[in-house]
Amino acid sequence: VRWMMYWIVFALFMATETFTDLLISWFPFYYEVKMAFVIWLLSPYTRGASLLYRRFVHPTLARKEKDIDAFLIRARERGYETALRFGKRGLNLAATAAVQAATKSQGALAGRLRSFSMQDLRSLPEQ
């Protein structure tokens, strides 16, 4: 549970740091403070990640639980519909390609057979 809390808080930190890094990275000792913060999150003595998770993240997730569940259900349904749509489209493309290849090869075979005259066919050894 401790590691789960750490990774959730760390992921949120990294997501916000991606945007704020451009704005505040020019502050003196910015990288040192950032490194100290990550160590504070990770340390078993300070339990920074547990503190932030229990104080901020968990209450927010608990308040938004129904919205998150509804979003996940919609995402699953849309994902299933999208997979079906792309699957049908892929099968249609494969079937079209197979029919086109068959008609082209059949036409080539018929043209090659037409190129033989009856004289050529009679001169073949009988086997």
Side-chain angles (χ1 to χ4, degrees):
V1 173
R2 181 177 148 243
W3 285 110
M4 179 211 52
M5 288 189 261
Y6 168 74
W7 284 112
I8 290 172
V9 171
F10 184 73
L12 292 171
F13 167 69
M14 291 301 294
T16 57
E17 190 246 347
T18 301
F19 300 109
T20 60
D21 195 36
L22 299 172
L23 302 173
I24 60 174
S25 63
W26 56 272
F27 279 123
F29 301 109
Y30 168 72
Y31 292 102
E32 289 82 3
V33 170
K34 186 167 80 169
M35 189 169 48
F37 177 71
V38 171
I39 291 171
W40 178 76
L41 286 177
L42 187 59
S43 174
Y45 300 109
T46 60
R47 298 179 190 235
S50 297
L51 177 76
L52 291 178
Y53 181 84
R54 288 189 174 124
R55 186 165 293 172
F56 298 108
V57 177
H58 183 70
T60 304
L61 289 176
R63 277 194 313 271
K64 302 285 185 176
E65 185 175 3
K66 290 181 182 178
D67 296 336
I68 293 170
D69 289 341
F71 175 78
L72 289 174
I73 290 170
R74 281 195 314 267
R76 183 177 14 171
E77 290 170 355
R78 287 181 185 167
Y80 180 72
E81 291 169 1
T82 302
L84 281 177
R85 188 174 66 239
F86 282 127
K88 286 179 183 178
R89 185 181 294 173
L91 287 175
N92 285 338
L93 287 174
T96 303
V99 168
Q100 287 177 350
T103 56
K104 285 181 182 178
S105 65
Q106 185 179 13
L109 181 63
R112 180 149 171 120
L113 287 176
R114 281 190 208 119
S115 69
F116 291 120
S117 65
M118 286 305 287
Q119 184 67 26
D120 293 336
L121 292 175
R122 285 189 195 123
S123 67
L124 290 175
E126 292 185 32
Q127 291 180 355

